[in-house]
Amino acid sequence: MRQFLRQARFSDAYSLLRLLSLAAAGSGALYLNRDADAKTTASVVTATAPLRYLLLLERPIAKDSMIPCRSVVDPDWSSYGGIGLFLSRIGYVAPEGVNKGSSEVSDGSNSIAAAVAKVLPAIVLISVPKKMDNKSCTSIGSGTIVDADGTILTCAHLVVDFQGRKVVSEDKVDVTLQDGQTFVGTVLNADLHSDIAIVKINSKTPFPAAKLGSSCKLHPGESVVALGNPHFLRNTITAGIVSCVDRKSSEIGLGGMLREYIQIDCAVNPGNSGGPLINLDGEIVGVNIMGRKSAAGLNFAVPSDTVSKIVEQFKKNGRVLRPWLGLKMLDLNKMIIVQLKRRHATFPSIKKGVLVLMVSPGSPADRAGMRPGDIVIEFHGKPVGSITEIVELMDDKVGIPLKVVVKREKGTSVTLTVIPEEVNPEL
């Protein structure tokens, strides 16, 4: 080494220091320091092996400052004095004690990667030409192919004009696959209440498809992953947990019919709409539709069980049939029952049920003889204890007589017959 240094010719002190950087990169990070007398010294700080291969020497840019080495991604090799410095991850040698052949990840991210790998090929970018204030624009969102025939699950607000209540662009949208192929998609169905829509594309070859799972198996705290194209950034993946499995629409300030959502803390932004929420098995457990602008980590997805029922009704009826009774009701739990018994001596002895708070005049429930204060304990031959159970039992039974058993003061039981009507789809 001494012989080499004697024979070498250096134009200035920096040329020598550049050479020293080669040695420093093998054992530490090299820093340059100028003192008040303009003397330049070199310091080597020990670094771990992963850090060493990322660092290279850079010229000082200010007096009395310490300049760290910079990454090899800088293409300006002239600043290194003609010395061909090249370091790469491919050439990285793991330190002793590290299993070179192991690809396992101890933090669980391998499970996320495996789940994403199952679904990612089925994620599509959906672009929809629209007009706002007589100006042309394009809305961007996400979707998931759920059938090899090209059936795509997405959100209604992406493909539907909410003001005109009509599908835009003559039912046509642009769909881009992961491999860059572009198709013209046809909007087959869109349900405004649930914000779920179906788009169809066609090809002679099967499409990659994701599996629709069951959201009823989700639990608060469970890990989930959101996929989509937020802000035109394709193939964006965010992970988080389930914050709530049955967040009511009324709790988040949404009017209209009662709906339930999965609340998550995964990042969901404009463009994520219509993209899937998946579990660590790589199954779709929800469709991401919205987030709270005023709060981070408050985002919501339509449960996959709800989506499955909507898709079935699309196939069966061509639209979603929603029966309407004209009731405002309240789920009764043990605490509420105890309080009502204390306040009203004539309150019936029950273990569960649904309390009728209000009956709309002229509604199917009004015509059936239901009145405020009634407690529904049976509906369509099944015991019930929640509004959700009643909604599930009604399903799409519009115009079909249903038997309802209610409890009244002093425990009197009355059996009524109610004929649900269809909710106005334009509401």
Side-chain angles (χ1 to χ4, degrees):
M1 182 65 180
R2 292 179 180 178
Q3 181 74 18
F4 172 75
L5 291 175
R6 289 194 189 99
Q7 296 177 355
R9 295 290 184 268
F10 302 103
S11 59
D12 54 31
Y14 294 113
S15 297
L16 176 60
L17 290 173
R18 291 189 198 101
L19 180 61
L20 291 175
S21 69
L22 279 173
S27 60
L30 180 66
Y31 289 84
L32 298 183
N33 187 35
R34 284 185 173 180
D35 57 23
D37 298 326
K39 295 180 180 180
T40 304
T41 59
S43 300
V44 177
V45 180
T46 302
T48 61
L51 176 61
R52 289 200 299 268
Y53 86 93
L54 289 174
L55 303 177
L56 287 177
L57 179 66
E58 181 183 12
R59 281 182 178 271
I61 58 175
K63 187 177 181 180
D64 302 322
S65 63
M66 190 166 286
I67 310 300
C69 302
R70 66 172 152 185
S71 169
V72 298
V73 297
D74 193 328
D76 184 10
W77 298 104
S78 63
S79 62
Y80 304 113
I83 299 176
L85 303 181
F86 182 79
L87 300 173
S88 170
R89 287 184 181 272
I90 298 175
Y92 167 62
V93 178
E96 292 185 8
V98 176
N99 185 356
K100 300 177 183 180
S102 175
S103 61
E104 294 184 1
V105 183
S106 60
D107 61 359
S109 59
N110 56 337
S111 299
I112 293 176
V116 169
K118 292 180 181 180
V119 182
L120 196 59
I123 306 300
V124 300
L125 172 70
I126 299 176
S127 55
V128 186
K130 292 186 177 181
K131 284 189 176 182
M132 296 182 64
D133 299 327
N134 295 323
K135 295 181 180 180
S136 298
C137 62
T138 300
S139 293
I140 299 294
S142 309
T144 314
I145 302 174
V146 292
D147 194 305
D149 67 356
T151 300
I152 298 172
L153 185 64
T154 186
C155 60
H157 75 254
L158 175 62
V159 297
V160 171
D161 177 4
F162 265 49
Q163 293 183 350
R165 308 292 180 177
K166 297 178 181 178
V167 177
V168 299
S169 302
E170 297 181 352
D171 299 341
K172 302 296 182 182
V173 297
D174 293 325
V175 178
T176 304
L177 306 188
Q178 290 293 311
D179 59 7
Q181 294 187 74
T182 301
F183 294 84
V184 176
T186 302
V187 182
L188 298 184
N189 300 96
D191 180 63
L192 300 178
H193 290 291
S194 63
D195 201 6
I196 294 298
I198 296 294
V199 173
K200 183 71 167 60
I201 56 176
N202 297 298
S203 177
K204 294 181 180 179
T205 58
F207 293 99
K211 181 181 178 182
L212 202 61
S214 177
S215 56
C216 69
K217 298 178 182 179
L218 284 177
H219 300 283
E222 184 173 341
S223 295
V224 287
V225 183
L227 296 88
N229 310 289
H231 298 292
F232 294 88
L233 301 175
R234 295 188 60 189
N235 306 330
T236 295
I237 302 162
T238 57
I241 62 169
V242 175
S243 303
C244 180
V245 296
D246 56 355
R247 182 68 67 200
K248 304 294 188 294
S249 56
S250 57
E251 295 180 62
I252 55 179
L254 297 178
M257 297 182 61
L258 180 66
R259 300 174 299 284
E260 291 185 351
Y261 299 98
I262 301 170
Q263 182 182 327
I264 56 175
D265 72 345
C266 305
V268 174
N269 295 288
N272 269 118
S273 295
L277 180 72
I278 66 172
N279 59 21
L280 296 189
D281 292 325
E283 299 173 332
I284 301 173
V285 292
V287 175
N288 302 311
I289 61 167
M290 61 182 169
R292 274 287 181 89
K293 292 182 179 180
S294 58
L298 286 178
N299 302 303
F300 304 92
V302 179
S304 59
D305 289 343
T306 300
V307 173
S308 296
K309 292 177 182 178
I310 290 170
V311 172
E312 286 301 315
Q313 289 214 39
F314 281 159
K315 294 178 180 178
K316 180 181 176 181
N317 306 311
R319 67 182 193 281
V320 179
L321 293 179
R322 288 188 171 83
W324 176 66
L325 298 179
L327 295 173
K328 178 172 284 189
M329 298 181 287
L330 173 70
D331 293 349
L332 295 179
N333 54 36
K334 292 182 179 179
M335 182 182 69
I336 296 176
I337 291 173
V338 169
Q339 290 178 344
L340 289 174
K341 281 186 176 181
R342 288 176 180 174
R343 294 181 181 181
H344 307 280
T346 58
F347 190 85
S349 297
I350 57 170
K351 293 183 177 180
K352 66 176 184 177
V354 182
L355 177 64
V356 175
L357 299 176
M358 186 183 75
V359 180
S360 298
S363 66
D366 185 32
R367 293 195 297 269
M370 298 184 73
R371 59 195 190 192
D374 285 349
I375 302 170
V376 181
I377 59 172
E378 287 186 23
F379 193 92
H380 196 39
K382 299 285 184 66
V384 293
S386 69
I387 300 171
T388 301
E389 290 176 337
I390 293 176
V391 172
E392 290 177 350
L393 289 170
M394 281 196 297
D395 195 22
D396 62 348
K397 299 176 178 64
V398 173
I400 299 175
L402 303 174
K403 296 292 184 182
V404 181
V405 178
V406 300
K407 282 278 189 179
R408 289 177 174 169
E409 293 181 343
K410 298 180 181 180
T412 303
S413 294
V414 179
T415 301
L416 306 170
T417 301
V418 60
I419 305 176
E421 295 178 355
E422 183 180 1
V423 172
N424 185 348
E426 298 297 322
L427 293 178

